[in-house]
Amino acid sequence: MDLQDQLKHLFPDHKPEPETETATPEDDIWMQDDPIICKYEKRKGKPITILEGYTGATEDFKLLAKELKTKLSVGGSFKDDKIIIQGDYRDKIMQILKEKGFAVKRVGG
């Protein structure tokens, strides 16, 4: 006798409710129409990748920055509505953003 049968014997009047799927949004980051600009610069001789042009909430952009830094295992920061990633990771960043549904435009070198 399994657990379901035991429960049916204990509670004969109980009718199980139909299971409903709970939709959990994976990404609740606001999508935009304009592309995010992904550009490459060298500062003090070191390469950096800069993302700018996001028109959504600042908190969403900070979450995106944290996720990118975690996925790429690199350092970076968020300043003046720009994400600054240490190193030249334009291709990987553009691929990650396109998978999330963002439009991305590559600028520079």
Side-chain angles (χ1 to χ4, degrees):
M1 210 176 200
D2 67 342
L3 183 62
Q4 293 293 332
D5 292 334
Q6 291 176 3
L7 288 173
K8 286 179 186 176
H9 287 293
L10 288 173
F11 304 104
D13 297 333
H14 177 71
K15 295 179 182 173
E17 295 180 7
E19 294 182 19
T20 57
E21 294 181 18
T22 56
T24 56
E26 292 179 10
D27 297 325
D28 48 354
I29 296 177
W30 184 78
M31 296 296 169
Q32 65 182 23
D33 297 328
D34 298 332
I36 293 178
I37 307 298
C38 183
K39 60 184 176 180
Y40 169 79
E41 286 185 11
K42 278 194 172 182
R43 292 188 182 170
K44 297 182 182 177
K46 298 183 180 180
I48 61 169
T49 304
I50 301 174
L51 298 173
E52 59 185 16
Y54 184 73
T55 57
T58 304
E59 290 301 317
D60 290 345
F61 208 35
K62 286 182 181 179
L63 288 173
L64 184 63
K66 184 174 182 176
E67 183 178 342
L68 287 172
K69 291 189 296 183
T70 304
K71 282 188 177 181
L72 297 172
S73 300
V74 295
S77 64
F78 177 85
K79 293 181 185 175
D80 302 325
D81 294 330
K82 296 179 185 177
I83 297 175
I84 301 170
I85 303 290
Q86 296 174 356
D88 185 10
Y89 292 99
R90 284 179 294 176
D91 297 329
K92 291 180 182 178
I93 290 172
M94 289 175 65
Q95 181 181 6
I96 292 169
L97 291 176
K98 285 179 183 176
E99 287 173 1
K100 291 181 136 315
F102 286 102
V104 186
K105 184 175 182 182
R106 184 179 177 138
V107 176

